[in-house]
Each structure stands twice: as C-alpha cells, then as structure tokens.
Amino acid sequence: MAEKVTIATVARHARVSRQTVSNVLNAPHIVRQETRLRVEDAINALGYRANQAARQMRTGRSRLIAARIEPTRDGINGSVLDRFLHGLTETADAAGYRVLLYTATDDEREISTYDDLLGTYELDAFVLVGTKYGDPRTAWLAERDVPFVTFGRPWDALDAHPWVDVDGAAGTAGATRHLLAAGHRRIAFIGWPAGSGVGDDRRAGWRDALHEVGVDPTGLHRETEDGIAEGERLMRDLLAAVAPTAVVCASDSLALGALQAIRGTDPPVSVIGFDDTPVAAAVGLASVSQPLGEAAARCVDLLTGVLDGNHETPTHVLLQPSLALRHTA
C-alpha cells in the first residue's frame, strides 16, 4: 500500500519546513519565488492534493474570488476584458486562489448576482471591472463589508476603495504628442459622451497635449457611443467640418470606423486607437496598449493585502500605457 503523501512528505522532499509548505498552499505571495517553485515541484512530483474543505475550515477562506464577464458587444473591445481575465485567473492561481466567473447585463442584475453568489458560495472577494461615477456596485459591496478591488478608478473619490487602473490620459497624450512630432496640428479626437470617467480621462489627455503646444482643440472633438459605425459617421463629419490630418480615438472600435471613413483621402489621415486589440494589430492600426497582465497581477496583490489585513499594501495602483505604432500613425 502506497504511503499517504502529507505536508510533512512534501516538506522533506523540498527540504523546507512544514510551515513553508503550508504557506505555499495558503499564502504563496509571502514565500520567496525560488522556494515556492521548489515546493510546487515537490507537490507535483509526489501528487500531493490538499484537502480543500479542511483548509477552508482552518483558514476561514474558500480561496475563491468572483469576476464578471461582460456581454459580447462588437467582438473587438471585448477582447480587452478577455485578456485581463486570463491574467487574473493565472495570477490568482499562482497565489492559491480560483476565479469564479459570472455574467450580468446591467448594474441591477449584477448586484442581484452578488447576493446570489454570496448566499451560495463562501466567496472571499470580488474583482470588479469598469467603474463609473456613483457606481452602485461598489457602494453595495462596501455597505456589506464584502472585500473587493476594482480594475478602474472610483471616479467620485480616489481613496474610496482599493483599485488598479491604467492612465488613459497619459495614453492619449502620448498618442497626440507622437502625431504633433510628426508635424500634425489639426488632430481630432473621437470619444465617448461626457460623464464617462474613462472617456473623460482619455479626452483630457488629447486636449492637454494640444494645449501644451498652443493648439486650440475647439471644434476638433466629437463624441458618441462606442462602435465601428459610430466612429465612421463622426469621422466623416470631422472631414467635412475641419479636415483633420490625424485623429486619436477612445477605442479601437471607433478607430476602425474612422479608418473606413478616410479610405481614399488625399493626403491620408493618421489614426490612432486605444486598447491595442488583436483586430487593431491585424489591420495595422496604431493603438495605445494597456498592460493588462500587470493590471491583473496588481489586482490580486491588492486583494491578498485586503484579505490578509496587510496595511503596508498600497490602496491603489496607476499603471502607464504604451504606444503600439503601425503604419496608420
């Protein structure tokens, strides 16, 4: 009869203490990477399987966090969330957590789902994607002392809860400065309606970059709901009204629409999108790229800090984007 593999067996095989093995299983983020990898190799080699029910009773945690899958839109910008969720799942797994995915079509249904999930599963926390002014989801969780972090800033008050975000203003400012350096001055912007925290942030970066060099942005801005058709319509309007030589867009969907509108224009108009989606890469569209893998990893870092009561963990993280240049810029 084969000997039962225990934590002590794994500890002997990895040449570490039993406490170190326990830390790798229950709080891997506090273990040095070299040691953690050695213990994980021993666990895999010996076929050790921790008793999840016993671990939950001992630690009071399920090691389960929940995150939302957004409804499918145009199949372009949805890939941004897909990449974030892949990163979140991989990073959470390395930290000893599992991700439970759910879907909801609006805020009211999402909050109802929170109630259902908390009543059905012993969830440790939520990771919310996307934030807005007066966000009812974060308010609902905070009122009930449910741990959570957001990928997106709390636009009403930056210290309201832990968050990770990408500096959208820095992204559009960088795109605009690139176009300015190439000699453009009539640089337009196609964005979302005012009142969207993310949309306002991205528009501000474009506007401020033009102000830096004394260019008046008046008349160069158009706003609409997200989508390829909307981007094409507003780009045609801009061409007729102000004849821009370049345009920065708040999303790749809007930028792809702009590309359709400028076909055959002479001289050609430069276009830069936002999010660096696979579609943008496939058609050669220049775009602002978000560090989604790092954003997911930092969300997990903040979440473990919240759950462990580690007050040295930062309460928010603002990451910097980069510019993926292609022939359309």
Side-chain angles (χ1 to χ4, degrees), residues 202-271:
R202 294 180 183 183
R203 182 175 63 253
W206 159 81
R207 181 196 62 217
D208 293 348
L210 290 183
H211 280 152
E212 287 173 2
V213 296
V215 174
D216 183 359
T218 302
L220 292 170
H221 166 249
R222 297 291 187 277
E223 59 185 37
T224 181
E225 298 300 327
D226 202 37
I228 296 174
E230 290 79 1
E232 180 176 5
R233 175 176 59 83
L234 291 192
M235 189 67 219
R236 292 189 187 283
D237 179 61
L238 283 165
L239 290 170
V242 295
T245 61
V247 61
V248 176
C249 298
S251 74
D252 282 350
S253 292
L254 293 172
L256 287 165
L259 280 180
Q260 293 181 355
I262 65 170
R263 285 177 181 168
T265 57
D266 187 24
V269 178
S270 294
V271 179

